[in-house]
Amino acid sequence: MTPPPAPPRRASPSTVRRLSLYLRALDTLAAEGVGTVSSQGLAERSGTTPAQVRKDLSLFGSFGRRGMGYEVPDLLHRVRAILGLDRRWPVALVGAGRIGSALFAYPLFRERGFEIRAVFDNDPAKIGSCREGLEVRPVTELPCLIRERGIEIGIITVPAHAAQAIATVLVESGVRGILNFAPTRLHLPPEIEVNEVSLSMELEALSFALAARERP
Amino acid sequence: MTPPPAPPRRASPSTVRRLSLYLRALDTLAAEGVGTVSSQGLAERSGTTPAQVRKDLSLFGSFGRRGMGYEVPDLLHRVRAILGLDRRWPVALVGAGRIGSALFAYPLFRERGFEIRAVFDNDPAKIGSCREGLEVRPVTELPCLIRERGIEIGIITVPAHAAQAIATVLVESGVRGILNFAPTRLHLPPEIEVNEVSLSMELEALSFALAARERP
DNA sequence: CGATGTGAACGCGTTCACAGCG
DNA sequence: CGCTGTGAACGCGTTCACATCG
């Protein structure tokens, strides 16, 4: 009888991560034509527990039917909406090196609604060349193009020493969220969302775990 | 007077992540020729708090001098050892697509001691071609080469539907740690260390945060 | 003095257990 | 009866505060 709780502005980072996992699992289930799934079933496919699944979802509303579970197409739609994937997100890519080009071609981004609408680089050899049909532009044109194309998310794949300057310009041009692949900490206003992806950190976590096992 | 605590086999994932950040900061400090740093200074450069820095480090020993702080070269060496980076790690890359090739060329891996010693793919168009001087081999040769070259870490950058089979073969061939870029959950024995990197999850976390701010 | 190292207090995410409803 | 939704209990990582020592 209580209306679904107003979407909380802040869910814990772990919850948001798991919502992504649920979405992935629901995509698979929908593709398999499965109509209904229990918290148990979702938990198994996402590597968590049934209680955790129910707790996470209940933060945003009551999407299941007692005794039945969750309807896959409905829950899929709900989780997409919760994650903000019920719209398109124009994205800019700064850095047209190997990692940047790889991300550009990553099909899952587009499937989720992320559309790379601008690519920037300062290397004269790259400017003017194309990535998947989009021309690489010099960074000087960044502010203008970001605004013109309504871009709100920037992906940084430039060398560490250049990342802070790029981030600052992105924010000044209207970007509100940044995915940073450069191995350096960015200093930005607190209202800007920053997500750091450190590839070497991931390998180092493996290294730590493997080395820990060999210690006397 | 108490000897440094025996290195704990299990530190929390957050602690390990932060150790990587400290290492990065220490690298920079050393390059700048800074001789000493306080927990305060390290915290500022890593985006955490002084108390957190001291707690993290004290898990592994007493590396500082009261009233002085930490000596940068010494701490650098210690943190590298804690993370298991005082040795070389032979790595295999499975999947010579865009992401795989980008990782291959990522200089920070080699700087940290990770050496890609084998590259595999099943695409006949790629087999025999080279990535940074290493020849791409078919997956059929994987078990043999993994063993021959003493590889303990595998990086998976194949499509989701192929990832589980690859992971199983890697483990059967002696790999103990896996970095998985494929958007699928791997089922492996518990003694195997698995680290999932989900690029779309990172973007979805941004999308969630930005969308949450726009809600009424 | 100044900054580390650390037990204790705190807060928060996870887990539990059961009430509630189809 | 089955499974969800959820308050309460729990455990753990973070923060605090201070004793400690160069």
Side-chain angles (χ1 to χ4, degrees), chain B:
Chain B
M1 198 53 43
T2 40
R9 306 203 178 268
R10 294 179 55 91
S12 79
S14 339
T15 297
V16 178
R17 283 183 58 90
R18 283 192 300 267
L19 287 171
S20 281
L21 294 176
Y22 304 155
L23 179 59
R24 185 192 283 176
L26 288 164
D27 266 340
T28 309
L29 288 165
E32 291 169 356
V34 177
T36 289
V37 67
S38 63
S39 59
Q40 170 99 271
L42 256 186
E44 279 165 9
R45 292 181 179 251
S46 324
T48 179
T49 67
Q52 186 76 75
V53 170
R54 297 199 300 273
K55 194 53 133 199
D56 287 336
L57 295 177
S58 74
L59 271 174
F60 301 92
S62 296
F63 307 140
R65 291 193 200 166
R66 305 190 191 226
M68 294 290 278
Y70 304 87
E71 275 182 40
V72 172
D74 176 63
L75 190 57
L76 183 56
H77 184 263
R78 304 269 200 174
V79 174
R80 281 178 49 86
I82 291 167
L83 286 173
L85 302 176
D86 51 352
R87 50 162 286 186
R88 300 203 171 276
W89 290 98
V91 175
L93 186 61
V94 193
R98 290 192 177 88
I99 295 183
S101 304
L103 293 178
F104 199 177
Y106 195 54
L108 204 51
F109 285 172
R110 179 164 291 269
E111 285 169 27
R112 286 278 190 266
F114 300 101
E115 286 183 358
I116 297 179
R117 293 221 189 130
V119 184
F120 301 97
D121 204 298
N122 259 344
D123 179 354
K126 287 176 189 144
I127 293 169
S129 69
C130 285
R131 298 286 184 283
E132 312 279 313
L134 204 59
E135 197 185 343
V136 177
R137 303 304 310 162
V139 174
T140 48
E141 295 178 9
L142 193 149
C144 182
L145 286 173
I146 293 276
R147 260 185 272 264
E148 217 172 71
R149 302 183 184 174
I151 290 169
E152 292 171 288
I153 292 179
I155 302 181
I156 298 180
T157 62
V158 301
H161 63 84
Q164 179 63 58
I166 294 290
T168 304
V169 176
L170 279 171
V171 169
E172 285 168 357
S173 310
V175 159
R176 297 188 298 139
I178 289 181
L179 189 58
N180 179 33
F181 283 81
T184 188
R185 182 158 193 82
L186 300 178
H187 300 269
L188 294 171
E191 71 270 19
I192 305 299
E193 287 292 326
V194 181
N195 224 329
E196 311 264 349
V197 179
S198 169
L199 300 175
S200 56
M201 181 186 287
E202 307 294 338
L203 267 180
E204 283 162 30
L206 276 184
S207 158
F208 173 83
L210 298 189
R213 293 189 180 174
E214 289 170 357
R215 291 198 240 267

Side-chain angles (χ1 to χ4, degrees), chain A residues 53-115:
Chain A
V53 170
R54 297 200 298 275
K55 208 21 149 222
D56 287 336
L57 295 178
S58 73
L59 270 174
F60 302 92
S62 296
F63 308 140
R65 293 195 199 166
R66 306 192 190 224
M68 294 290 277
Y70 303 87
E71 275 181 41
V72 171
D74 176 63
L75 189 58
L76 184 57
H77 184 263
R78 304 268 201 175
V79 174
R80 282 178 48 87
I82 291 167
L83 286 172
L85 302 176
D86 51 352
R87 47 162 288 186
R88 300 203 171 275
W89 289 99
V91 175
L93 186 62
V94 192
R98 283 180 235 259
I99 295 182
S101 304
L103 293 178
F104 198 176
Y106 196 54
L108 205 51
F109 285 172
R110 179 162 292 270
E111 285 168 27
R112 286 278 190 268
F114 299 102
E115 285 183 358

